[in-house]
Amino acid sequence: MSAGISVEDVLARVAASRRYRWVTEEVTRRLALEEIPHARNVADAEKRTKRRLHQIFGAYTGQADYTRLLLGIAEGREQGDDALRAACRAAMAQHASTRERLPILDELYARVLEVTGVPATLVDVACGLNPLALPWMGLGQDARYVAYDIDSGLLGLVAGFLDLMGVEHRVEPRDIVVSPPDDACDVMLLLKTVPCLDQQDPRAALRVMQASRARHVVVSFPTQSLGGRGKGMARTYRARFDELMAAIEGPIARIEELELVGELVFVIEAGA
């Protein structure tokens, strides 16, 4: 390691940060080990590791009070469907990815379910606050929801929400770059995740998709940057998706493309 820098020292420094303390250690360790050989000292290694974490995590999340958000959702649920949806929208606005999706929630899930049917088991990879869109998903009472993310604080809110909604679930912090989920399921959501995977390892997205045992995989890409710029993004990401599909091993029955406001969505049906 560069200049005798200890990865444990870097992890301790990052864990002391309010913004990154809830990121699963598996991810922080992987990034720190990648950055330490290029660092001048432990402070530089910490800075480099935090920069990488910002790219894949910090740029999308604030420092929301998840306990307060869950209480708001619980109060909304007691007041009826409209209040529940309003509280879920307010909570989802705390994460950049789901905030961008708020205007198209009804259309997104209606169009996806036209292709996939209503799933009995849904796996949400790098879920963020997307599970809070459950009131728009039309899942049955016996549905099972599996959610993975790198933020254990956020996952506490997700687990509490799914408990509140009475949905069977498993919520797990995981570094999907090195441990792609392989759950058998009807639908796997991979929403606006490929670009974040590409920033870490250009081969990671293919590994995640190849490991999937889903009947349908829903892959989406942003068509605007966090700053609101969108020139050429749909074209670029459509080409990236085509590249992934060309590399996939195994049969594909069909691919449906859905271009919505702010999000380019592909629904892949696995072949027999």
Side-chain angles (χ1 to χ4, degrees):
M1 294 182 185
S2 178
I5 300 170
S6 164
V7 67
E8 301 302 332
D9 288 343
V10 178
L11 292 177
R13 284 170 169 252
V14 174
S17 164
R18 184 178 177 189
R19 179 174 289 273
Y20 299 120
R21 61 182 173 173
W22 299 114
V23 175
T24 180
E25 184 183 302
E26 186 180 13
V27 173
T28 306
R29 181 180 294 275
R30 171 171 56 81
L31 296 178
L33 288 170
E34 291 175 5
E35 293 301 323
I36 284 172
H38 309 290
R40 299 184 304 275
N41 50 46
V42 68
D44 188 39
E46 175 194 0
K47 182 178 178 180
R48 287 172 174 270
T49 302
K50 285 182 176 179
R51 184 184 300 123
R52 296 285 302 282
L53 286 169
H54 177 79
Q55 291 174 344
I56 66 171
F57 169 76
Y60 301 91
T61 64
Q63 297 181 23
D65 183 339
Y66 293 132
T67 300
R68 180 183 60 81
L69 292 176
L70 184 58
L71 287 173
I73 293 171
E75 291 173 2
R77 187 167 186 264
E78 291 178 356
Q79 296 168 19
D81 288 345
D82 289 345
L84 170 63
R85 289 188 175 216
C88 288
R89 281 183 174 273
M92 285 187 283
Q94 303 302 309
H95 191 288
S97 183
T98 44
R99 181 169 62 245
E100 294 170 343
R101 191 174 295 129
L102 292 177
I104 61 169
L105 279 177
D106 290 297
E107 184 181 10
L108 171 63
Y109 289 107
R111 293 183 65 182
V112 166
L113 292 179
E114 283 180 5
V115 181
T116 66
V118 178
T121 301
L122 184 149
V123 174
D124 200 339
V125 180
C127 65
L129 291 179
N130 188 64
L132 274 59
L134 184 71
W136 288 265
M137 294 181 186
L139 301 186
Q141 291 184 339
D142 296 331
R144 184 168 188 262
Y145 204 117
V146 180
Y148 297 100
D149 202 90
I150 67 171
D151 181 352
S152 59
L154 177 150
L155 287 175
L157 168 61
V158 169
F161 169 73
L162 294 172
D163 276 336
L164 181 69
M165 300 299 291
V167 175
E168 181 186 351
H169 60 275
R170 177 164 59 85
V171 173
E172 180 183 321
R174 181 182 292 203
D175 182 1
I176 64 170
V177 169
V178 297
S179 302
D182 61 355
D183 306 78
C185 60
D186 300 299
V187 173
M188 183 176 88
L189 299 179
L190 199 64
L191 303 182
K192 292 194 282 191
T193 301
V194 171
C196 287
L197 293 173
D198 287 347
Q199 287 181 318
Q200 300 171 75
D201 180 345
R203 301 160 296 180
L206 180 61
R207 289 198 300 270
V208 170
M209 296 182 70
Q210 201 71 66
S212 169
R213 292 195 293 144
R215 179 62 179 167
H216 294 89
V217 178
V218 183
V219 182
S220 79
F221 298 87
T223 56
Q224 289 186 337
S225 68
L226 291 176
R229 296 183 297 275
K231 185 177 181 180
M233 286 182 65
R235 181 174 63 253
T236 298
Y237 285 136
R238 191 176 282 110
R240 175 62 176 131
F241 177 78
D242 290 343
E243 181 182 40
L244 285 169
M245 290 301 95
I248 284 283
E249 298 177 2
I252 295 174
R254 63 169 173 159
I255 299 172
E256 294 282 342
E257 179 180 330
L258 313 174
E259 186 165 4
L260 307 177
V261 175
E263 197 157 352
L264 180 63
V265 183
F266 299 94
V267 184
I268 308 156
E269 181 179 346

